[in-house]
Amino acid sequence: MNIPTVVLPPHAEMVRAMLERDTAYEGVFFTAVKTTGIFCRPSCTARKPKPENVEFFAHADECLSAGYRACLRCKPLDAAAIAPDWVQRLLKAVDADPERRWSDAQLLAHSIEPLKLRRWFKQHFGMTFHAWLRTRRLGVALGGIRQGTSIDHAAFDSGYESLSGFRDAFQKSFHITPGRAAQSEPLLFTRLTTPLGPMIAMAERRGLVLLEFLDRPALTREVEDLQHRYGYAVAPGHNAHLQQIEEQLAAYFAGKLSAFSVPLHAPGSDFARQVWAALQQIPYGQTSTYGAIAAGLGKPGASRAVGLANGHNRLSIVVPCHRVIGADGSLTGYGGGQPRKAFLLRLENAAVQLTQQLAL
């Protein structure tokens, strides 16, 4: 399905986002520089042109049709914030040999600058590569302990030469001792690429628990809440739910999916879960308001409480809090940023209109 051209944000808003390199506008628009013939992402780190020399497009293919070439620095033809080739090669090597230790010398031997790698992982995972690798190994140990492996064997299999070192690292990563790990629930996470920028997905055996944009300010608080309040042990990894949401997100952004079927598990208060369930009842391509949701729950005076529960939703897009707008039609707040909210609504509206046209 080809989605029609969507309406761009106001010109002044795009100029500001371009000059400030605002990542919230990733995928929302592209900047094309008349004097160089090059088009970029709004967050491109190259020297910014004068606003009068720029025109804006909603899609990269529109830039190409207008005769512009893709920027070699920000690579706008790639999906937003996709991992560069050198990172992808390294991740494949880690998957092929999970127990391998990567020293700076070994990274350099693979033409990978350690400082550059450190910065990329800090930006996209919130930790260094070596911390990610260590947490990944500890995640394997966590799985082993839950399956009945002794703490001694789990420690040595993870490459630790002392039990005390293993216990300290384990507790630092998972906020529990190895002895309590058998009763904890592993929460595996992975990074996903979307047209609106990178997202992080977390899932346990019962379903998807979190799906958020990586630059969401509340993300750290949400993860800490899952660890401390709900006892999750968070570690890098993959499972069927993470694979499913990756595939379904790609279909959603292509305009081919209007309802997600990935299993969900959303811990929260009874009222919050009622609100999140009500969000899932808002039809694709339509919107609702806090007041309407409160009334539907039989609590017409609880609009503010509905708004708070809406803001605490950890499952962006899948539990469509972006479909809730103000009573006056304004977009109101959105954890991923209002530009993304507007994009998602335009995407769904365009897909619905195209479906209706094809049905005639």
Side-chain angles (χ1 to χ4, degrees):
M1 181 183 294
N2 295 317
I3 301 302
T5 300
V6 296
V7 178
L8 289 167
H11 186 271
E13 183 180 336
M14 292 189 290
V15 169
R16 181 203 61 77
M18 174 193 72
L19 295 177
E20 296 178 5
R21 298 184 174 92
D22 194 336
T23 59
Y25 288 80
E26 278 289 324
V28 174
F29 68 85
F30 294 87
T31 63
V33 186
K34 301 173 186 177
T35 52
T36 63
I38 292 174
F39 73 98
C40 304
R41 307 174 189 277
S43 59
C44 184
T45 58
R47 181 180 178 182
K48 294 301 180 181
K50 295 180 179 179
E52 58 266 29
N53 292 329
V54 174
E55 57 180 330
F56 299 99
F57 295 91
H59 302 294
D61 56 357
E62 294 175 351
C63 299
L64 294 171
S65 298
Y68 290 97
R69 307 185 311 278
C71 173
L72 296 178
R73 177 174 295 190
C74 66
K75 299 180 179 179
L77 291 177
D78 292 341
I82 192 170
D85 291 342
W86 55 275
V87 172
Q88 293 187 51
R89 289 196 301 270
L90 178 60
L91 294 177
K92 289 179 181 178
V94 170
D95 284 338
D97 188 3
E99 297 182 5
R100 181 175 181 178
R101 299 295 188 272
W102 289 85
S103 64
D104 286 354
Q106 289 173 318
L107 291 171
L108 288 169
H110 284 74
S111 301
I112 297 174
E113 170 57 47
L115 182 58
K116 185 178 180 181
L117 178 65
R118 178 186 179 88
R119 288 171 177 167
W120 190 91
F121 264 81
K122 284 289 288 183
Q123 179 183 357
H124 294 283
F125 280 106
M127 63 180 74
T128 66
F129 168 68
H130 289 99
W132 175 86
L133 204 60
R134 182 170 57 252
T135 304
R136 192 178 188 275
R137 289 197 298 269
L138 289 170
V140 174
L142 170 63
I145 291 172
R146 283 183 54 83
Q147 295 295 323
T149 301
S150 70
I151 295 176
D152 289 6
H153 285 152
F156 295 126
D157 289 346
S158 300
Y160 286 86
E161 296 180 357
S162 71
L163 282 176
S164 61
F166 173 74
R167 292 178 187 276
D168 289 344
F170 195 97
Q171 186 161 6
K172 184 177 180 180
S173 291
F174 301 136
H175 305 280
I176 57 172
T177 63
R180 293 177 54 199
Q183 286 73 47
S184 67
E185 184 68 45
L187 186 62
L188 303 180
F189 72 85
T190 191
R191 175 183 179 276
L192 303 179
T193 296
T194 81
L196 292 182
M199 301 186 77
I200 185 170
M202 295 184 168
E204 48 125 292
R205 58 183 174 81
R206 289 170 288 188
L208 188 69
V209 174
L210 180 143
L211 179 66
E212 294 282 20
F213 290 99
L214 274 173
D215 58 4
R216 172 171 164 79
L219 178 59
T220 300
R221 174 184 56 77
E222 289 179 337
V223 174
E224 290 176 348
D225 191 51
L226 289 170
Q227 290 175 314
H228 299 305
R229 179 178 296 186
Y230 299 106
Y232 282 113
V234 179
H238 296 279
N239 61 25
H241 304 314
L242 295 177
Q243 179 65 34
Q244 189 174 6
I245 188 56
E246 183 174 13
E247 295 170 353
Q248 292 189 359
L249 265 184
Y252 170 83
F253 278 108
K256 299 177 180 178
L257 182 76
S258 60
F260 291 88
S261 60
V262 58
L264 306 179
H265 181 69
S269 68
D270 290 341
F271 180 75
R273 289 198 297 270
Q274 291 175 23
V275 173
W276 299 336
L279 294 176
Q280 293 177 275
Q281 299 304 311
I282 304 174
Y284 179 88
Q286 298 183 30
T287 57
S288 185
T289 65
Y290 299 130
I293 293 174
L297 294 176
K299 300 178 180 180
S303 295
R304 181 176 177 82
V306 167
L308 290 173
N310 192 68
H312 290 152
N313 171 37
R314 306 182 198 92
L315 291 161
S316 179
I317 302 179
V318 177
V319 176
C321 54
H322 61 276
R323 295 177 192 159
V324 181
I325 61 175
D328 59 356
S330 61
L331 291 184
T332 68
Y334 181 62
Q338 285 193 6
R340 288 185 175 124
K341 179 171 185 170
F343 179 97
L344 295 172
L345 293 176
R346 292 195 300 264
L347 170 72
E348 295 181 3
N349 185 58
V352 168
Q353 290 182 358
L354 181 59
T355 300
Q356 291 173 344
Q357 292 171 7
L358 294 174
L360 296 177

